[in-house]
């Protein structure tokens, strides 16, 4: 997934998402050394932790996302280190006390080989006993092949209005969900401009993640169904994993 063209819309969509921030802030504040964030995007989580004094580095494959993240840090008066790289192949001259991968970052690993390569690489960048915490959404999807508007409307200072519509396709054998975004911006004079983006994610089940972690050298994880630590059950929307490198 190339997020360069998607970065501006991503920032509009998720800048106000707060559900996970205090969870990752607790993780970062409890770390006994530097923290690495996998898939740091436009710096939503990174900046939140940096404001709390966490020594955090953001790893992100998209140059445009890093540019947005650096703008955010500058706006907030923060000094944050960002590194362009892929979870599977990044190589840093540093081992971390804690690695986090918020907001479905690992869902851009599409095959078992890619997933294992990333997990082993993350393990290699952790100190022995270092913590690895991440979240994934529970795979539930809306009606496929149906154009829908999920309440995302943005108003610009010039009076224009942007509405986000989407269509989803579900590839069950590969556990892929592909979302086609149709982004319509209507100018004050009624002129309509449409942009199109495609996002493919590879979703997980709980127990495949547990086995993947153990195969990559992590201990059996603690799994919760909320950022507040509640149990994973039929009503959970997220799976939150916490484990350590052994």
């Amino acid at each position: 997934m190339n997020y360069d063209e998607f970065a501006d819309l991503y920032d509009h969509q998720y800048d106000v998402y707060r559900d996970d921030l205090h969870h990752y802030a607790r993780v970062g504040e409890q770390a006994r050394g530097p923290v690495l964030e996998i898939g740091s995007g436009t710096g939503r989580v990174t900046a939140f932790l940096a404001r709390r004094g966490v020594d955090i580095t953001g790893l992100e494959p998209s140059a445009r996302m890093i540019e947005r993240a650096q703008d955010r840090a500058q706006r907030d008066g923060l000094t944050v280190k960002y590194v362009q790289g892929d979870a599977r192949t990044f190589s840093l001259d540093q081992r971390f006390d804690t690695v986090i991968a918020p907001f479905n970052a690992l869902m851009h690993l599409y095959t078992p080989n890619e997933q294992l390569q990333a997990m082993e690489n993350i393990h290699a960048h952790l100190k022995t006993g270092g913590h690895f915490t991440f979240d994934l959404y529970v795979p539930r999807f809306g009606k496929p092949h149906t154009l829908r508007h999920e309440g995302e409307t943005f108003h610009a200072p010039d009076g224009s209005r942007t509405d986000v519509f989407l269509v989803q396709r579900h590839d069950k054998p590969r556990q892929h969900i592909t979302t086609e975004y149709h982004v319509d911006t209507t100018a004050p004079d009624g002129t309509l401009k449409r942009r199109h983006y495609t996002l493919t994610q590879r979703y997980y089940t709980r127990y495949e993640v547990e086995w993947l972690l153990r195969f990559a050298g992590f201990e059996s994880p603690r799994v919760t169904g909320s950022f507040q630590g509640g149990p994973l059950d039929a009503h959970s929307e997220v799976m939150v994993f916490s484990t350590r490198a052994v």
Side-chain angles (χ1 to χ4, degrees), residues 1 8 25 30 32 61 65 105 119 125 134 140 171 181:
M1 175 68 193
D8 295 345
Q30 291 169 3
R32 298 180 179 180
M65 297 284 257
M119 293 294 191
H125 282 81
F134 58 96
R140 295 194 197 94
D171 184 342
Y181 290 95

Side-chain angles (χ1 to χ4, degrees), residues 95-124:
R95 298 187 77 186
F96 296 85
D97 178 83
T98 299
V99 174
I100 62 173
F103 204 45
N104 310 310
L106 300 180
M107 296 180 78
H108 298 294
L109 303 166
Y110 299 108
T111 67
N113 283 341
E114 290 180 356
Q115 292 156 11
L116 182 58
Q117 186 180 5
M119 293 294 191
E120 290 178 337
N121 196 27
I122 290 167
H123 187 283

Side-chain angles (χ1 to χ4, degrees), residues 147-211:
L147 184 69
R148 61 185 191 267
H149 187 290
E150 297 192 328
E152 290 184 303
T153 299
F154 311 108
H155 296 274
D158 65 359
S160 64
R161 164 182 171 147
T162 297
D163 290 279
V164 181
F165 301 87
L166 60 87
V167 178
Q168 288 187 312
R169 301 194 308 273
H170 189 184
D171 184 342
K172 292 182 180 180
R174 293 195 294 170
Q175 293 178 218
H176 286 187
I177 189 77
T178 296
T179 305
E180 303 281 350
Y181 290 95
H182 303 276
V183 184
D184 289 355
T185 299
T186 306
D189 65 0
T191 305
L192 177 66
K193 177 182 179 181
R194 168 166 285 183
R195 290 165 290 158
H196 178 261
Y197 307 96
T198 301
L199 170 67
T200 298
Q201 295 173 304
R202 198 282 195 181
Y203 61 86
Y204 298 78
T205 62
R206 170 184 177 170
Y207 293 119
E208 72 170 316
V209 176
E210 293 200 31
W211 277 109

